[in-house]
Amino acid sequence: MRKINLLVIHCSATRADRTLTVFDLETDHRRRGFNGIGYHYYIRKDGTVHLTRPLESIGAHAKGFNANSIGICYEGGLDCEGHPADTRTEEQQTALRLLVHQLSQRFPDCRVCGHRDLSPDLNNNGEIEPEEWIKLCPCFDVTQWLAQTSAT
Ligand SMILES: [Zn+2]
């Protein structure tokens, strides 16, 4: 198993009134030249957690941080007009909380952050990231949210 020290949370940049199945996500990522889905986990609106890439495999989700991280993506991130928004359902929040908790136990040295919390890659290496175009990803404050959840 590779060394894991970072969990990166993403949104799929899907509008709240639309759906994006695992098949859709995979089709999209393959079209962008990825060998399957770039994230390790994908959480649907109903809270279903899909393992979309083996944890042993390096993901393609956070430029410059893929080697030692796990990528988690939730379905959503845009409101009905296409503006960035925290569209997570209660089911998604519960599933995400549990998943982060489990992974933090398995990889105790892990830091948890949102994609937007990582400094941008400036070396312009030509690698196309699936969600590069949405700078606010995952459209909520991960640190603040985790602090809230641990307080309850
Ligand atoms: Zn992202």
Side-chain angles (χ1 to χ4, degrees), residues 8-12 25 39 41-43 71-75:
V8 186
I9 299 174
H10 299 266
C11 66
S12 64
L25 184 62
Y39 313 111
Y41 290 99
Y42 183 53
I43 305 177
I72 303 168
C73 179
Y74 75 91
E75 179 186 18

Side-chain angles (χ1 to χ4, degrees), residues 18-93:
R18 308 240 170 105
T19 57
L20 187 77
T21 65
V22 173
F23 179 81
D24 295 336
L25 184 62
E26 176 155 6
T27 303
D28 184 48
H29 281 199
R30 285 193 186 280
R31 203 176 50 217
R32 292 164 191 254
F34 289 91
N35 178 25
I37 293 173
Y39 313 111
H40 296 88
Y41 290 99
Y42 183 53
I43 305 177
R44 298 294 311 272
K45 285 181 195 172
D46 65 0
T48 311
V49 178
H50 298 267
L51 180 65
T52 46
R53 175 180 286 254
L55 295 185
E56 291 77 13
S57 304
I58 293 176
H61 59 91
K63 206 184 277 180
F65 295 89
N66 287 316
N68 301 111
S69 70
I70 290 172
I72 303 168
C73 179
Y74 75 91
E75 179 186 18
L78 299 177
D79 66 18
C80 294
E81 269 120 38
H83 301 125
D86 182 1
T87 62
R88 289 173 302 156
T89 62
E90 251 179 67
E91 289 83 357
Q92 281 175 313
Q93 295 207 31

